[in-house]
Amino acid sequence: MSATSHPTLVLHNAHIATIAGDIGYGIVSNGYIAISDGTILEVGHSSELEDQAPEAQVIDLKGRLVTPGLIDCHTHLVYAGSRAQEFDMRLRGASYEDISRAGGGIISTVAATRHATESELVESALQRVDRLIAEGVTSIEIKSGYGLDLDTERKMLRTARRLGVERPIRVRTTFLGAHAVPDSSNADAYIDDVCIPTMIELAGEGLIDAVDGFCESIGFSPAQIERLFEKARTLGLPVKLHAEQLSALGGSFLAARFKALSADHLEYATDDDIRALKEAGTVATLLPGAFYFLKETKKPPVEALRRAGVPMAVATDSNPGSSPMTSILLAMNMAATLFDLTPEEALRGVTVNAAQALSLIHCGRIQSGFAADLAVWDTDDPAELTYRIGDASLFMRIFEGKPC
């Protein structure tokens, strides 16, 4: 260890999946990680470990696996109400589109969320956050979009910010005002008269880290989303997009034009879409929970994304209507069993690629200078995290250099 470094925490005798290279787990066997001030100082072999600073806490991990802290890069964790009745309707034959057009779906959650207080939203969302924390998650993205008016969108984003204060977890907020068209509204008028002004107001309050939209036949057209994205660009806000989940509407190409951080779902993405995403440096975020829950049959073009070298992230899409799931480990297993990702791809999907999807440039890897966000597991095989169906045992979670 460098004589100039002053670690406050040293983990040693660890099996480390650094995810530091472009491919592979980047395994360091019998390794150590030296940490100071929330940052990784060094990673190396325990045999090379010199005397630590006397004040350093030293933890012998006894051969356990260490990975970067997991990242859930697409969630809708803040909401009120339940849509279990719609689940029953869907099992009886109603489609997602049928329910939405009948006034259910997103709009029913909007009504419940508008009625809830900020404290009630915090209380319910913390339960979901705690389940993710228990699975080694150290960073999450949380979208608004169940308000569709200024006051409720503000309430949702304020709630998301509070979650990062109430719990040791990094939160990135996304404005999803273009999630649905409110009752009795015209989509064009809503985008121009409500959604864009709300985004401008909340960006000025520092509540928005990125901007998203639902580009679908039951949501918003590419032309409508384009107007939103143009304004986001003038505000200096990065964008991402729900694209090609239910149909080929051109959302992926739109996302690529704006160099979106990510395009999410992508079941109907074409080869042209994939080439555009690659050229734009946009991450493809796969959401197997929604695919499973909605009983979809059209899979995202994983092999084409793989061949093109488009980074693939994996996320829970935790939401009340199409993916009521709060297990990132289950999302990893589903990505493998339903979409044919390898365990290595699944782990990269919730670490380095998920970090890229949120522009968290110092997260998602275990290497010098990166955030000391780590997960320690009661196994020495990284494939176990994907192989087991949501039950890999977390031994310890470290956030910003502190065990918690």
Side-chain angles (χ1 to χ4, degrees):
M1 184 177 298
S2 169
T4 60
S5 59
H6 300 285
T8 55
L9 175 64
V10 176
L11 310 175
H12 76 105
N13 192 12
H15 195 68
I16 307 169
T18 65
I19 318 295
D22 292 335
I23 60 173
Y25 292 120
I27 295 293
V28 177
S29 299
N30 190 25
Y32 76 87
I33 304 169
I35 297 166
S36 179
D37 295 326
T39 301
I40 297 170
L41 290 177
E42 291 184 354
V43 181
H45 294 280
S46 292
S47 60
E48 304 166 352
L49 185 60
E50 300 174 6
D51 291 339
Q52 298 84 34
E55 67 275 12
Q57 178 186 6
V58 180
I59 301 176
D60 183 349
L61 292 180
K62 303 183 186 302
R64 291 183 175 89
L65 174 70
V66 183
T67 69
L70 306 189
I71 300 169
D72 195 349
C73 65
H74 182 129
T75 86
H76 307 251
L77 280 176
V78 175
Y79 62 87
S82 169
R83 282 157 60 183
Q85 289 184 339
E86 292 177 18
F87 177 59
D88 187 24
M89 291 172 59
R90 192 176 297 114
L91 292 175
R92 295 173 187 272
S95 70
Y96 187 58
E97 293 92 334
D98 292 338
I99 292 168
S100 179
R101 291 195 175 101
I106 293 169
I107 296 302
S108 64
T109 301
V110 168
T113 305
R114 286 178 174 178
H115 182 73
T117 66
E118 185 173 319
S119 294
E120 289 170 338
L121 291 177
V122 169
E123 181 180 0
S124 62
L126 280 175
Q127 296 177 42
R128 301 172 196 120
V129 169
D130 286 343
R131 289 193 281 273
L132 290 170
I133 285 175
E135 292 194 350
V137 172
T138 52
S139 296
I140 54 173
E141 182 253 21
I142 301 177
K143 303 178 191 294
S144 67
Y146 294 128
L148 310 184
D149 60 26
L150 174 60
D151 289 342
T152 314
E153 293 290 301
R154 176 189 285 121
K155 180 172 62 176
M156 291 186 69
L157 292 169
R158 281 171 51 88
T159 295
R161 290 279 196 238
R162 281 184 57 184
L163 298 176
V165 175
E166 296 285 341
R167 293 292 188 269
I169 194 164
R170 184 175 290 101
V171 174
R172 287 293 180 268
T173 59
T174 297
F175 174 71
L176 183 56
H179 197 192
V181 182
D183 288 337
S184 304
S185 295
N186 171 275
D188 282 306
Y190 171 72
I191 287 288
D192 296 331
D193 300 337
V194 178
C195 187
I196 290 176
T198 295
M199 177 179 66
I200 294 169
E201 179 75 18
L202 299 183
E205 296 175 15
L207 291 174
I208 300 176
D209 295 323
V211 173
D212 197 351
F214 184 50
C215 188
E216 281 292 347
S217 58
I218 60 171
F220 296 91
S221 70
Q224 290 159 349
I225 296 294
E226 182 177 12
R227 297 204 299 276
L228 176 70
F229 281 5
E230 289 284 5
K231 180 55 66 173
R233 176 185 283 167
T234 69
L235 297 172
L237 294 170
V239 302
K240 53 182 61 179
L241 190 63
H242 289 63
E244 268 71 68
Q245 178 187 8
L246 306 174
S247 61
L249 208 62
S252 297
F253 198 76
L254 176 67
R257 279 182 47 212
F258 282 86
K259 297 190 182 302
L261 294 176
S262 69
D264 302 20
H265 288 290
L266 298 178
E267 279 84 342
Y268 286 83
T270 66
D271 288 344
D272 287 341
D273 293 329
I274 291 169
R275 282 191 290 271
L277 295 176
K278 172 61 176 177
E279 291 173 6
T282 297
V283 174
T285 300
L286 308 180
L287 304 170
F291 177 90
Y292 165 83
F293 193 77
L294 297 177
K295 294 186 176 182
E296 298 292 344
T297 57
K298 177 73 170 175
K299 297 182 181 183
V302 165
E303 181 55 35
L305 290 165
R306 185 185 286 134
R307 286 197 307 269
V310 176
M312 292 181 285
V314 175
T316 64
D317 191 15
S318 181
N319 76 78
S322 64
S323 186
M325 177 170 70
T326 51
S327 172
I328 193 72
L329 296 172
L330 179 56
M332 293 168 66
N333 178 270
M334 286 180 168
T337 57
L338 300 177
F339 296 163
D340 299 320
L341 266 67
T342 66
E344 175 197 321
E345 288 173 328
L347 183 56
R348 296 182 72 87
V350 297
T351 54
V352 62
N353 294 344
Q356 183 179 340
L358 298 182
S359 195
L360 292 173
I361 60 175
H362 291 109
C363 295
R365 301 178 188 264
I366 302 177
Q367 65 185 61
S368 177
F370 273 57
D373 295 351
L374 307 169
V376 183
W377 308 91
D378 271 324
T379 181
D380 62 0
D381 183 358
E384 288 274 345
L385 306 186
T386 301
Y387 157 68
R388 294 193 173 278
I389 304 177
D391 77 340
S393 179
L394 183 72
F395 174 75
M396 177 188 298
R397 195 187 73 118
I398 295 172
F399 176 66
E400 295 184 339
K402 299 177 181 178
C404 55

